[in-house]
Amino acid sequence: MAITVSLVALFGLVLFFLLRSRTLGAGAAFIAAGFGFFLASTGAARPINQLATSLVQALSSL
């Protein structure tokens, strides 16, 4: 759970700075957030979570 919250915070922060620098428009940000929301409810959510967990564990063991 802590990894998920951290990744959500990281992606939210990146999205905030992209919007602030006007690199990403508000419409594209809405689409990206909607895509992430709907992706989380598909069968792809579990493999993505496993991949993220594996990456975090690999980085922490370096």
Side-chain angles (χ1 to χ4, degrees):
M1 181 67 178
I3 293 172
T4 304
V5 173
S6 298
L7 288 176
V8 168
L10 176 67
F11 289 141
L13 189 65
V14 169
L15 186 60
F16 170 77
F17 283 117
L18 286 173
L19 284 170
R20 186 161 177 122
S21 67
R22 300 197 189 269
T23 306
L24 184 68
F30 181 74
I31 297 297
F35 175 73
F37 177 77
F38 288 115
L39 183 64
S41 65
T42 66
R46 184 172 179 196
I48 291 171
N49 285 333
Q50 290 174 344
L51 176 66
T53 302
S54 298
L55 288 174
V56 169
Q57 289 174 351
L59 290 175
S60 66
S61 67
L62 291 178

